[in-house]
Amino acid sequence: MHGHLDVNEFYQDISGFLVGYYLALAAMNALAAWFVWRRSSATVLCRCGRLCVTTVPLWLLTAGMFGLMSATAVGGDAAAIGRISLPQWSQKFLNVALQPTWYTLGTFAALGLLFLARRFFVRPAVAWAMLNLAFFFLGLSMTDPDFARIVGKPDNVPIVGMLFLLGFFTWLGAYRAVENDARIARGEPTIEQRDCEKVLVWPDLVYIELICMVAVMALLICWSLALPAPLEQPADPLNTPNPSKAPWYFLGLQEMLVYFDPWMSGVVLPVLIILGLAAIPYLDTNKLGNGYYTIGQRRFAYVAYQFGFLALWISLIVIGTFLRGPNWSYFGLYETWDVHKAANLENVTLSEYFWIRLLHTRRPLAPDEAGTMLRMVYVLFRELPGLLLLTLYFLGVPWLLVKLSKFFRRLYDQMGGVRYAVMILLLLVMVLLPIKMLARWTGNLSYIVSIPELRLNL
Amino acid sequence: MPATDQTWYPMKLLHRVFALASLALLAASIWLLVQDHRRPWKQYQRTANRIAGRMAAWRELEFDPNAGSRAAEPRYFHFERGFPLPDSKLLELPILDAFNSPLRIENLWAEGLTQDYHFREVPRFDRCTTCHTAMQKTEPGSADAPAYPREHLLQFTVTPNVVFDIRTRGVAPGWFVSVPSGRAVVADWNVRPQAIVRNAQRQNLRLGLVSAAAADSTPTAVLGKPPVTDASPARLLDDRLGLRVADEGLLNPHDVTIAYVRPASPAAAATSLAAPPAAQPAERILLDLFQTGDAKPPVPSAPGLRAGDVLLAIDGTPVADREQAIGQLLASEKDLVLTVRRGLPHPFSSHPRLDLFVGELSPHKMSEFACSVCHEGQGSATDFKWASHAPNDPAQRKQWRDRHGWFDNPFWDSPMLPRRFIESSCVKCHPRVVDLQPSPRYPQPPAPKLLRGYTLLRTYGCYGCHEINGQQEGKDLPEDAGIPGLQQPPGPSLRYLNSSVSEAFWHDWLHDPRRFRPATRMPRSFVLREHLEGSSRHLAERYEPLEIRGIVAYLHAHVQAPEPALASVGTTATADSERDNRVEDPRSPLAGHGIPAATGTDRGRVLFQTRGCLACHSHAAFADADRFRTPDELVIGPELSNLADKLTGESSRAWLSDFLRRPIGHLPTTIMPDLLLEPISHRDAAGQVVSVSDPAEDLAEFLLQPSATELQPQRLPDLDEAGLDQLTLEYLRGAFHDSKAAEYVQHGIPADLVDTLRVAERELLVRDSGGEPAPGRGDRGSTRLSVAQKLRYVGSKAISKYGCFGCHDIPGFETAKQIGPPLSDWGRKDPKQLAFEHITDYLSDHRSGSSAAAGAVEASPEAAKTKAGEADSDEADAGKAEAYFRWQLVTASRIGFTYQKLAEPRSYDYRVVAQKAYHDRLRMPQFPFKAADREAIMTLLLGLVAKSPAEKYLHVPDSVRSAIIEGQDLLDRYQCATCHVLEPQKWHLAYQPGAFRPQPEKPVFPWVDHPFREDELQASHQADARGLLHATLAGMPTLADNGRPLVFDDCGDELFEDEDYLPQSLEYLFQLWQPAALEGREYQVGRGTLTVFGDQVIARQRASGGFLAQYLLPHVTELERAVNPNAKGSEAWGWLPPPLLGQGAKVQPGWLHDYLLAPYAIRPASLMRMPNYHLPAAEARVLVNYFAAQDGVDFPYQTVDRRNRTYLQQAQAAYSREPSVEAALADAPDPDRLAAAMRIVTDKNYCITCHIVGDFDPRTSDRAKGPDLADVYKRFRPEYLRRWLAEPVSVLPYTGMPVIVPYQDAAPHQGGVAQTLYPGTSIEQLDALVDLLMNFDVYTRRRAPVAPLVEAAGAAPAADPAPQE
């Protein structure tokens, strides 16, 4: 493999990074312990009589552990590095667990859990522990050459950083929302109402912007010096890099190309996303929750948005960045990106499923002498199962929801027919994506409706 | 909002944050500037500038030794005028270096050369010289000596200036030898300087030279005690050794570096210790004179210490610092042994071979070609790692990784070529490869590895299976090697099988050719099973014997009788007279040698040795001949030992002797020439024929003598009929539907289908009892296929599967396509398209031993690193190479793939084979390549890029050079250089002035001596720093009477066989074959031999070609002396194939053309005969053009003025007008000038003593007999003949031919032969002789008038018969 590196050489290369990384983590935790101790805001973990165990010793312990790990990494000795690596079995387990079906279902489940247990997760100590766990996991994984190659690629480093930023802001929003919900329940004003964050343009805003400008400039300079851009070969349309990846913010779209026709994932769905986002103010009938963070008062909006953003958009970017390798094949985090990895995929359309696999017959085919109209009739007849299914999905499901769910019934009443229809259409299109993904992974379903004669594939 | 002082954020905090952010920005900006300032290329440029500055300052010292080194260090400011002025060095400071600094990125634009970016051809530009700034730098005053050679270690011996005591005043300049008594003996230099030197060395005495200056002054000091002086150590060092030590080193300030070496000082005269002298047996020394020699001329750089040398050790003690080194240098009274490091490492060193590359006078100027077109890599990079440097071995890789952060850059398609494959790039513009042979302009081979690869590729016939083009658009790389069948294939034709070879032998041979013939070039196609496991291995074990049987059955079934018409091309019957000359010769080398009484085997042995068989074949009985071959010479013919094991049939002897008589009659496509063997008569002392032997019979008897090994062919397992059916079925399935295949395998293919079948399937046609296809008899069950048919079918399939027809001419496969993939763009092949499969598993499962060795090399690069300047040991090299290729294989590069493919071609089938059908398995056979061979072939393959960088850069030699190249190619193919010397030996000398005496004065005709130009003579008189002169002699060691080189020890005796001698201490006699200039004097050919002392020879370059002649010299001398004890071995060159120097200027092109097509015996003295190669006329033309082009004479046509009728008439008229002639005419009845010349020829003292002239035969020994003068007019160019007659030894120094017409400038008639023979001056006599020989046919025509014959005939039947009445 080009760029092949002996594993011992790799350990020597990575040891410098690990030493600094763990030292930084140790310092971060020590700082946290000091901060918590100074602020006397430590969470009490347990009480033993008069003895009260807070998080301060926990963070100190964590700092010590990271310091130890930092010392272990010095020199890059293979045996020592082995001690601060993920065990082989867990790597194998994770490779399997990150197979697309499990990954997607796992994402949904994790989001559900986070949502349901949000009051627990928004606690600073828990969040800090989770952050530490994430860094811990990252550190242990960096000793794997394949993982390090993907994560340490200069292009991907900012994506990793942004994942942490995303986690932080999601947590911050949820934290304030949970706090506000509690306040509202207690009848107190929300944080935003209490703080009345009105800021002067001068000096507050302009000054801060100046400071930000200076700080970001310093950051960018340091960043460009530490991770300089590689000198790559000239772009060559006949010999594109493998894998050829879109910029990180389009990786979700690129991933969608696997499941939909290009015009669908490249044109229709992005347009729908933009239109849908633009339509939100007009669809939203809930008067509550304006100007402050809340989940309790906007449960449906919150869940729907976070599902679309985190479970669909961000998770697709993660797939595209970290789990898609050469030939856009799916690779586990600890799997070597082998150009020759052969995926034995035989994608089948729904009509093939129906006619050939289910009815064991040929698909309806117009006779040779048939005219255009007759041919179309045959095509429509062939694709009847898919067409029926889609009709049922887009017409039947909204109706059923209104009929069976009190919540949707109330929504229908509040929004009225047109707005409800638009909202439910957007919602169903959004949900169609994971359905289609799962159908592809589990059943190799290529298209629900496939009319290559009209270049129409759904 | 109303204005208020209240702010939302605490301003104090914001101020602090702002301050911190600003500090961070400041720090980042500083970091930015530091990084910019410290960019590696800037560091390199600063260092390079410093080196250049210091070297310039040190060189200045040579002109003004008192200058000091004030300019050594550039400064930021000048202070000389009392106030500081900024220097340009200022611009190298941080930040400032961004503003028009002398440090800058260099762009080299190669406008004419483009780079293929797939979507567009873009102009190529390189920035390599940004770091490699000194690439083009040459030494001052030299066009191509590198100013900064690559770092290497040297050892020198320096003799400090001795202080001597000479009590007498006015000592003459010369050598002195100090003796233990403290007195110096001054010896006269002119007597025998070498003897003085040797004596001094032997007695361990100090030797010095009294210079003219020293002689004039009054030396008073006493030996051994330096004069007391208060001079500084530096001054003392200068006095004592003539060198100064710099304050700081070039690269490392602590290096103790020499800054100045005074000319003609001990330091300048230091002698290099390349290898310690070792005594060798006399036998070895004599053999070495013909065998060894370095192909490379010596490095032209002057010997002795030089400014810039870094002192590493003094007398074995490592140098610690400057003071200690100076102290040590001053302390020693004895000779000092200094270890120095010369040159600089990359990127500060100059490019090697500036005569060929980069230099402005070279054919590949840097300004035109830049760098990456040859080196590949990313030329636009200014950073080591992004430039895609390619390490040459794992140790270098590790070193680069540690030092430069090197990594395997995946972002560039064509990384640089590692040093071992650097010659690959030459193929891009030199697709013919053969034009890269050494030439007079570039005697050092420009691309030896590539040429070797090309030779291997051609010899092993890679083109038989692969399409190999260097260029697209039909410019085939091996122009002559494109299509098998049309050209000489590397293997013999299998169309005319020899019935003397048993079927069992064939089986054994195909099974493993190396069993019978370990040195064979035939690859192994079977029994390559290392990669096979379990059932796939069993399948191979079962099917391979069937395929072998099948191939043999197929070949035997299609054997043809050679067509007699093919055999007669160019063969001429020997003229009767010639036959007489040879057969009736009573003193033939074999006659009277005890051989007639001896057995045919003995006669055959001598014939085998002396008739040239060894040129193309080797034989265990003559293993000593192989020592004369060049190390990597490919013996074109098969080894012929133990032939009796192969030819076991009853008629084998008859067949072999018949084959030897007329090879082409048995194998029409063979390259084996017709040896023109004729019966030899043996006579007793009385001259009576006692027996007649047939050389062909004798040779056959010798070759078929029972072998020592008595190798029994390995038997194949018994025929497995079930297996045969299965294999047949498997092959049939490829052509028919399964059901049909199953039917056909039982009952054959119906004959009706014959037109739809491919060749192989026709073997299975249903046949009638006569063996003819029987139409309509393909009914199920009515017939059954015979085993023989199935075997033939399987054989035919196996032949097409293994591609046997690529090397052999096989009936039925005349139009078969090559079986291998094309290699025309192998150098650009995308590694992703190569099927590496499970090769790493294969390696780890099968090569744990060798991989451990490779790993060891990788793990300890320091241990593997050998001293620079010393040759790496072969083992370390092999280990490094093995580790390198293994690493390349693991990293899935095309280099690794190719290496493994050549080493174990089928290993890529490991584990994959289980999923493959038997006939789809990999089929490339395993060639017996050594590791070096594989590298050579890869060097060629990696250069095949299908496309040249630009059409106009394709090397198109002019017509003369082109003729030479084509001729060289042909000479190589027919191995002409095995018999004929093409270039004599070249000895490079460094000698003291006065070492060679002037040649004795001898009056010669004015056109004989080679005129030297004044500058050539001047150049030979220029001494180097040691005071030594340099010269190159071209010629051969003088031969003693026993045919061995003449060498004397220091007592002037010839060498004793059982003693050891120091080669440096011996005296060698050298015969000049080409004139030389020594000490400003001319040394012409043929004026006695030169005595060369061993210690004067700095390099010896072996002769090009003629290994057989050199090997045979003592042998033929011995043979001849057995018959004629007075025979002179020094003339033995004349009995062997002639050296082909000056051949073009010697012979007429037309004659040579005819001769090459139909050679005949010219020189009776020659023991060998030029065989008939049955050359096509076109090839003969190429060879004629080659020789003419080599000598710069006209070709293809040439006019012979002396045959012009007008010229002859004028000459005759002038002759008749001569007073002396008029006077003589009274006595001589014949006024014809040519007739007068003929009197010289026929005089018993002159030509006819030795020469055959028409019907006259001098009846002397063959060895002393000269060629027929009647044929000369066709053969020689007149200029050559004139020179040859004037002074034969000036043309061929070893010839026995005397001067016929002596020349005396002052004598009456300027010497010459007796006036009674030919009145006139010697020049006129000589010219007349030349005219006679050049017009011999005209002369004889005059003597045989036809008119009288007609008149005589007219007396009989009348021309106009009268009507009968």
Side-chain angles (χ1 to χ4, degrees), chain B residues 1001-1251:
Chain B
E1001 283 296 324
K1002 183 184 172 189
V1004 288
F1005 286 97
W1007 61 86
V1008 169
D1009 280 349
H1010 171 84
F1012 278 89
R1013 290 194 314 272
E1014 194 53 37
D1015 61 320
E1016 288 173 322
L1017 295 175
Q1018 281 292 331
S1020 72
H1021 208 263
Q1022 278 182 351
D1024 65 15
R1026 279 191 293 173
L1028 298 182
L1029 307 179
H1030 288 252
T1032 300
L1033 306 181
M1036 285 286 181
T1038 308
L1039 298 179
D1041 283 346
N1042 59 6
R1044 293 178 157 239
L1046 261 180
V1047 182
F1048 299 104
D1049 64 8
D1050 48 7
C1051 302
D1053 299 324
E1054 281 198 49
L1055 304 192
F1056 296 100
E1057 275 193 11
D1058 44 359
E1059 273 195 33
D1060 289 0
Y1061 296 91
L1062 271 177
Q1064 288 82 355
S1065 70
L1066 299 178
E1067 284 181 25
Y1068 302 87
L1069 294 193
F1070 192 83
Q1071 194 171 53
L1072 282 179
W1073 283 22
Q1074 283 166 8
L1078 294 161
E1079 293 189 54
R1081 283 195 295 268
E1082 297 176 2
Y1083 283 74
Q1084 300 292 348
V1085 178
R1087 306 265 174 85
T1089 56
L1090 284 173
T1091 304
V1092 177
F1093 291 93
D1095 51 5
Q1096 292 171 337
V1097 182
I1098 47 176
R1100 226 171 49 216
Q1101 205 175 327
R1102 63 185 293 161
S1104 158
F1107 103 85
L1108 190 61
Q1110 297 178 51
Y1111 160 71
L1112 281 178
L1113 283 171
H1115 293 282
V1116 295
T1117 308
E1118 193 186 337
L1119 269 180
E1120 181 59 17
R1121 278 158 76 100
V1123 183
N1124 173 15
N1126 296 327
K1128 285 185 186 167
S1130 55
E1131 293 173 6
W1133 279 110
W1135 311 336
L1136 291 166
L1140 297 181
L1141 287 80
Q1143 191 69 12
K1146 176 177 175 179
V1147 298
Q1148 298 179 30
W1151 173 84
L1152 185 58
H1153 178 264
D1154 295 347
Y1155 177 76
L1156 289 170
L1157 289 181
Y1160 59 92
I1162 300 171
R1163 296 176 308 135
S1166 177
L1167 282 167
M1168 286 187 208
R1169 286 198 55 180
M1170 168 86 173
N1172 188 345
Y1173 282 91
H1174 305 289
L1175 296 180
E1179 291 188 352
R1181 208 158 44 233
V1182 167
L1183 286 176
V1184 172
N1185 292 352
Y1186 162 78
F1187 286 116
Q1190 273 287 52
D1191 294 338
V1193 291
D1194 294 344
F1195 71 92
Y1197 301 108
Q1198 169 235 15
T1199 41
V1200 182
D1201 292 341
R1202 283 180 189 261
R1203 286 178 62 82
N1204 188 318
R1205 189 167 293 189
T1206 318
Y1207 163 79
L1208 285 176
Q1209 285 168 352
Q1210 286 170 352
Q1212 174 66 40
Y1215 172 72
S1216 306
R1217 281 197 302 275
E1218 278 281 318
S1220 59
V1221 175
E1222 282 175 352
L1225 270 180
D1227 307 332
D1230 194 350
D1232 187 359
R1233 177 169 166 263
L1234 296 186
M1238 191 66 186
R1239 283 203 294 275
I1240 307 178
V1241 172
T1242 49
D1243 187 273
K1244 65 180 168 28
N1245 293 322
Y1246 298 122
C1247 309
I1248 53 152
T1249 326
C1250 301
H1251 281 280

Side-chain angles (χ1 to χ4, degrees), chain A residues 1-4 9 13 195 198 200 203-204 207-208 211 214 217-218 221 225 230-236 340, chain B residues 1 6-9 14-15 18 21 25 28 117-119 378 386 397 401 408 411-413 832 890-892:
Chain A
M1 254 56 54
H2 232 345
H4 168 87
E9 288 174 351
D13 285 357
D195 287 351
K198 282 194 178 164
L200 295 173
D204 293 318
Y207 196 17
I208 286 172
I211 292 172
V214 170
M217 189 97 129
I221 290 173
L225 290 174
L231 177 65
E232 298 192 5
Q233 59 213 349
D236 173 5
H340 300 290
Chain B
M1 200 172 196
Q6 194 184 355
T7 57
W8 178 258
Y9 297 115
L14 281 189
H15 291 330
F18 179 61
L25 183 61
Y117 277 3
H118 300 284
F119 60 93
Q378 193 162 6
W386 293 116
R397 171 179 170 273
R401 238 177 68 78
D408 194 3
F411 297 121
W412 196 248
D413 284 341
K832 287 192 212 85
V890 172
T891 53

Side-chain angles (χ1 to χ4, degrees), chain B residues 589-599 602-603 606 682 1119:
Chain B
L590 302 173
H593 193 232
I595 303 260
T599 58
D602 292 336
R603 285 196 302 268
V606 176
H682 305 277
L1119 269 180

Side-chain angles (χ1 to χ4, degrees), chain A residues 68 74 100 185 215 247 313 364 453:
Chain A
L68 215 60
V74 174
W313 193 243
E453 294 84 351

Side-chain angles (χ1 to χ4, degrees), chain A residues 294-369:
Chain A
T294 174
I295 294 176
Q297 293 181 345
R298 306 192 66 92
R299 208 177 290 258
F300 175 69
Y302 182 81
V303 169
Y305 180 81
Q306 293 293 46
F307 176 76
F309 180 62
L310 290 178
L312 294 186
W313 193 243
I314 298 298
S315 82
L316 286 190
I317 289 177
V318 171
I319 289 181
T321 310
F322 302 112
L323 303 176
R324 288 290 186 182
N327 310 325
W328 211 249
S329 297
Y330 210 94
F331 287 88
L333 269 182
Y334 308 100
E335 216 174 316
T336 307
W337 279 14
D338 182 3
V339 183
H340 300 290
K341 177 175 177 172
N344 193 10
L345 281 182
E346 192 196 348
N347 291 329
V348 205
T349 61
L350 188 70
S351 58
E352 283 168 338
Y353 261 115
F354 181 78
W355 296 106
I356 298 171
R357 303 225 177 155
L358 193 68
L359 300 183
H360 297 288
T361 171
R362 287 178 57 189
R363 291 196 300 174
L365 186 68
D368 287 344
E369 63 277 7

Side-chain angles (χ1 to χ4, degrees), chain B residues 244-281:
Chain B
R244 285 186 211 169
V245 178
D247 297 335
E248 271 196 354
L250 282 175
L251 274 178
N252 179 1
H254 303 296
D255 281 345
V256 181
T257 309
I258 296 172
Y260 166 65
V261 175
R262 184 152 41 80
S265 66
T271 45
S272 171
L273 285 178
Q280 288 179 7

